[in-house]
Amino acid sequence: MIFIIIIGVIATGIILITTIFKGETLSKDEILNTYDDFMEVFSEKGISKDKELEGKRKFGIDEYEGNYKASYENATKEEVLFGGTTLNRENGNKIKLKLKVEKQSGDVAVIANLGTTEKILISDTGEFEKDIDIEGKSYYLNLKLDHFTGKVEIIAE
């Protein structure tokens, strides 16, 4: 994730230097929008591909929203299901999460990575429902499994 941010900063610097040499000026908003657009493109690379997932994911209006449903049999893996990196998300800065985990065995953790903070939302059988504020920071919803057998359902809207 840090790598993506570093690339974004370098790209923004290149844009600024190019603009200065051309004798043009950019407003603060134009610079931030350029950086934000760049980060959005690269942030999609941090999300697991559908073929890598054990279950079925369907995105909503963007990669921050959607639903995921899976049954696991002795799975040990990490899946990054939803999220991205943007300064101001077009579709709002709150994500409403509804999680349901039915654990038969092993370990499971549904984790929200919010900038540099990692927050475990659920780590055993149970349900979780809460709004997550993602304003001005990267956000990724991860699923970490260690010899996990059970079911996971996630709705992010």
Side-chain angles (χ1 to χ4, degrees):
M1 180 55 57
I2 296 294
F3 178 71
I4 292 171
I5 294 171
I6 291 169
I7 290 173
V9 170
I10 291 169
T12 303
I14 291 169
I15 291 167
L16 289 172
I17 290 168
T18 304
T19 303
I20 290 169
F21 282 120
K22 287 184 175 182
E24 299 174 10
T25 59
L26 293 175
S27 70
K28 177 182 170 185
D29 287 339
E30 289 173 317
I31 293 168
L32 288 175
N33 288 337
T34 301
Y35 174 77
D36 200 33
D37 291 343
F38 183 83
M39 291 307 296
E40 281 185 53
V41 170
F42 277 95
S43 70
E44 295 169 10
K45 305 295 182 203
I47 298 174
S48 298
K49 306 283 185 256
D50 286 341
K51 65 183 179 185
E52 299 169 343
L53 300 176
E54 197 84 17
K56 297 288 182 195
R57 172 182 58 198
K58 182 177 181 186
F59 286 116
I61 54 177
D62 60 16
E63 289 80 16
Y64 289 78
E65 296 185 13
N67 58 61
Y68 181 73
K69 192 173 194 177
S71 293
Y72 297 92
E73 184 70 38
N74 196 31
T76 299
K77 64 190 311 186
E78 182 173 347
E79 298 176 329
V80 183
L81 301 172
F82 301 104
T85 300
T86 186
L87 296 175
N88 291 302
R89 182 171 167 256
E90 277 184 32
N91 301 303
N93 291 318
K94 295 230 187 271
I95 304 291
K96 182 175 188 166
L97 290 177
K98 295 178 187 176
L99 313 173
K100 183 177 181 183
V101 175
E102 296 175 6
K103 178 177 110 171
Q104 294 174 355
S105 63
D107 294 317
V108 59
V110 182
I111 301 166
N113 286 305
L114 300 160
T116 59
T117 303
E118 184 174 281
K119 183 176 181 181
I120 297 174
L121 305 177
I122 195 167
S123 62
D124 203 3
T125 294
E127 296 183 25
F128 174 92
E129 187 171 334
K130 187 174 181 178
D131 289 345
I132 304 290
D133 182 15
I134 61 169
E135 184 175 2
K137 57 189 148 215
S138 64
Y139 160 76
Y140 290 92
L141 187 66
N142 299 341
L143 188 58
K144 288 186 181 179
L145 311 168
D146 187 17
H147 300 287
F148 175 73
T149 298
K151 296 180 181 181
V152 175
E153 293 181 38
I154 298 172
I155 298 172
E157 43 188 29

PDB file of all heavy atoms in Angstrom, residues 7 23 50 52 74 78 87 94 128 131 144 151 156:
ATOM      1  N   ILE A   7       4.228   5.958  -5.425  1.00  0.00           N
ATOM      2  CA  ILE A   7       4.071   6.131  -6.866  1.00  0.00           C
ATOM      3  C   ILE A   7       3.191   7.337  -7.164  1.00  0.00           C
ATOM      4  O   ILE A   7       3.474   8.119  -8.071  1.00  0.00           O
ATOM      5  CB  ILE A   7       3.491   4.853  -7.514  1.00  0.00           C
ATOM      6  CG1 ILE A   7       4.537   3.748  -7.484  1.00  0.00           C
ATOM      7  CG2 ILE A   7       3.039   5.116  -8.944  1.00  0.00           C
ATOM      8  CD1 ILE A   7       4.026   2.398  -7.941  1.00  0.00           C
ATOM      9  N   GLY A  23       5.464  26.403 -18.506  1.00  0.00           N
ATOM     10  CA  GLY A  23       5.070  27.767 -18.168  1.00  0.00           C
ATOM     11  C   GLY A  23       3.614  27.883 -17.751  1.00  0.00           C
ATOM     12  O   GLY A  23       3.069  28.975 -17.643  1.00  0.00           O
ATOM     13  N   ASP A  50     -11.291 -11.546  -8.900  1.00  0.00           N
ATOM     14  CA  ASP A  50     -12.401 -12.479  -8.693  1.00  0.00           C
ATOM     15  C   ASP A  50     -11.938 -13.931  -8.744  1.00  0.00           C
ATOM     16  O   ASP A  50     -12.391 -14.751  -7.942  1.00  0.00           O
ATOM     17  CB  ASP A  50     -13.502 -12.245  -9.732  1.00  0.00           C
ATOM     18  CG  ASP A  50     -14.309 -10.986  -9.450  1.00  0.00           C
ATOM     19  OD1 ASP A  50     -14.289 -10.496  -8.304  1.00  0.00           O
ATOM     20  OD2 ASP A  50     -14.976 -10.495 -10.372  1.00  0.00           O
ATOM     21  N   GLU A  52      -9.251 -15.185  -7.772  1.00  0.00           N
ATOM     22  CA  GLU A  52      -8.480 -15.531  -6.575  1.00  0.00           C
ATOM     23  C   GLU A  52      -9.381 -15.767  -5.364  1.00  0.00           C
ATOM     24  O   GLU A  52      -8.925 -16.279  -4.346  1.00  0.00           O
ATOM     25  CB  GLU A  52      -7.498 -14.404  -6.235  1.00  0.00           C
ATOM     26  CG  GLU A  52      -6.491 -14.131  -7.313  1.00  0.00           C
ATOM     27  CD  GLU A  52      -5.699 -12.841  -7.091  1.00  0.00           C
ATOM     28  OE1 GLU A  52      -6.117 -11.987  -6.279  1.00  0.00           O
ATOM     29  OE2 GLU A  52      -4.669 -12.684  -7.757  1.00  0.00           O
ATOM     30  N   ASN A  74     -11.400 -25.541   5.266  1.00  0.00           N
ATOM     31  CA  ASN A  74      -9.998 -25.578   5.695  1.00  0.00           C
ATOM     32  C   ASN A  74      -9.126 -24.609   4.890  1.00  0.00           C
ATOM     33  O   ASN A  74      -8.048 -24.958   4.426  1.00  0.00           O
ATOM     34  CB  ASN A  74      -9.445 -26.998   5.617  1.00  0.00           C
ATOM     35  CG  ASN A  74      -8.161 -27.140   6.413  1.00  0.00           C
ATOM     36  OD1 ASN A  74      -7.956 -26.476   7.421  1.00  0.00           O
ATOM     37  ND2 ASN A  74      -7.281 -28.017   5.959  1.00  0.00           N
ATOM     38  N   GLU A  78      -5.576 -14.928   2.469  1.00  0.00           N
ATOM     39  CA  GLU A  78      -6.051 -13.568   2.723  1.00  0.00           C
ATOM     40  C   GLU A  78      -6.698 -13.060   1.447  1.00  0.00           C
ATOM     41  O   GLU A  78      -6.132 -13.195   0.362  1.00  0.00           O
ATOM     42  CB  GLU A  78      -4.911 -12.637   3.137  1.00  0.00           C
ATOM     43  CG  GLU A  78      -5.403 -11.238   3.454  1.00  0.00           C
ATOM     44  CD  GLU A  78      -4.326 -10.328   4.028  1.00  0.00           C
ATOM     45  OE1 GLU A  78      -3.254 -10.836   4.414  1.00  0.00           O
ATOM     46  OE2 GLU A  78      -4.569  -9.116   4.083  1.00  0.00           O
ATOM     47  N   LEU A  87      -8.822  10.567  -2.063  1.00  0.00           N
ATOM     48  CA  LEU A  87      -8.976  11.638  -1.080  1.00  0.00           C
ATOM     49  C   LEU A  87     -10.446  11.911  -0.805  1.00  0.00           C
ATOM     50  O   LEU A  87     -10.852  12.084   0.340  1.00  0.00           O
ATOM     51  CB  LEU A  87      -8.283  12.915  -1.572  1.00  0.00           C
ATOM     52  CG  LEU A  87      -6.775  12.811  -1.743  1.00  0.00           C
ATOM     53  CD1 LEU A  87      -6.228  14.096  -2.342  1.00  0.00           C
ATOM     54  CD2 LEU A  87      -6.103  12.505  -0.420  1.00  0.00           C
ATOM     55  N   LYS A  94     -18.693   7.365   3.671  1.00  0.00           N
ATOM     56  CA  LYS A  94     -19.131   6.391   4.671  1.00  0.00           C
ATOM     57  C   LYS A  94     -19.512   5.103   3.948  1.00  0.00           C
ATOM     58  O   LYS A  94     -20.151   5.120   2.904  1.00  0.00           O
ATOM     59  CB  LYS A  94     -20.337   6.906   5.443  1.00  0.00           C
ATOM     60  CG  LYS A  94     -20.033   8.127   6.291  1.00  0.00           C
ATOM     61  CD  LYS A  94     -20.524   7.931   7.694  1.00  0.00           C
ATOM     62  CE  LYS A  94     -20.379   9.204   8.501  1.00  0.00           C
ATOM     63  NZ  LYS A  94     -19.120   9.308   9.154  1.00  0.00           N
ATOM     64  N   PHE A 128     -21.994  -8.293  12.572  1.00  0.00           N
ATOM     65  CA  PHE A 128     -21.458  -6.953  12.802  1.00  0.00           C
ATOM     66  C   PHE A 128     -22.158  -6.019  11.836  1.00  0.00           C
ATOM     67  O   PHE A 128     -22.328  -6.345  10.665  1.00  0.00           O
ATOM     68  CB  PHE A 128     -19.947  -6.955  12.535  1.00  0.00           C
ATOM     69  CG  PHE A 128     -19.287  -5.606  12.586  1.00  0.00           C
ATOM     70  CD1 PHE A 128     -18.729  -5.135  13.756  1.00  0.00           C
ATOM     71  CD2 PHE A 128     -19.224  -4.807  11.449  1.00  0.00           C
ATOM     72  CE1 PHE A 128     -18.109  -3.899  13.798  1.00  0.00           C
ATOM     73  CE2 PHE A 128     -18.610  -3.575  11.482  1.00  0.00           C
ATOM     74  CZ  PHE A 128     -18.052  -3.116  12.667  1.00  0.00           C
ATOM     75  N   ASP A 131     -21.364   1.752  10.340  1.00  0.00           N
ATOM     76  CA  ASP A 131     -20.869   2.653   9.307  1.00  0.00           C
ATOM     77  C   ASP A 131     -19.390   2.907   9.555  1.00  0.00           C
ATOM     78  O   ASP A 131     -18.980   3.162  10.687  1.00  0.00           O
ATOM     79  CB  ASP A 131     -21.609   3.996   9.340  1.00  0.00           C
ATOM     80  CG  ASP A 131     -23.040   3.886   8.848  1.00  0.00           C
ATOM     81  OD1 ASP A 131     -23.382   2.868   8.224  1.00  0.00           O
ATOM     82  OD2 ASP A 131     -23.822   4.809   9.089  1.00  0.00           O
ATOM     83  N   LYS A 144      -8.984 -12.537   6.554  1.00  0.00           N
ATOM     84  CA  LYS A 144      -7.828 -13.399   6.833  1.00  0.00           C
ATOM     85  C   LYS A 144      -8.333 -14.709   7.413  1.00  0.00           C
ATOM     86  O   LYS A 144      -9.089 -14.715   8.386  1.00  0.00           O
ATOM     87  CB  LYS A 144      -6.873 -12.728   7.827  1.00  0.00           C
ATOM     88  CG  LYS A 144      -6.113 -11.574   7.237  1.00  0.00           C
ATOM     89  CD  LYS A 144      -5.076 -11.034   8.202  1.00  0.00           C
ATOM     90  CE  LYS A 144      -4.337  -9.857   7.595  1.00  0.00           C
ATOM     91  NZ  LYS A 144      -3.346  -9.294   8.523  1.00  0.00           N
ATOM     92  N   LYS A 151     -18.772 -20.145   6.812  1.00  0.00           N
ATOM     93  CA  LYS A 151     -19.385 -19.266   5.822  1.00  0.00           C
ATOM     94  C   LYS A 151     -19.182 -17.809   6.203  1.00  0.00           C
ATOM     95  O   LYS A 151     -19.177 -17.465   7.387  1.00  0.00           O
ATOM     96  CB  LYS A 151     -20.876 -19.546   5.707  1.00  0.00           C
ATOM     97  CG  LYS A 151     -21.196 -20.938   5.205  1.00  0.00           C
ATOM     98  CD  LYS A 151     -22.689 -21.144   5.115  1.00  0.00           C
ATOM     99  CE  LYS A 151     -22.971 -22.565   4.638  1.00  0.00           C
ATOM    100  NZ  LYS A 151     -24.401 -22.806   4.512  1.00  0.00           N
ATOM    101  N   ALA A 156     -21.481  -4.394   1.720  1.00  0.00           N
ATOM    102  CA  ALA A 156     -20.878  -3.065   1.888  1.00  0.00           C
ATOM    103  C   ALA A 156     -21.658  -2.109   1.000  1.00  0.00           C
ATOM    104  O   ALA A 156     -21.699  -2.284  -0.206  1.00  0.00           O
ATOM    105  CB  ALA A 156     -19.402  -3.091   1.499  1.00  0.00           C
TER     106      ALA A 156
END
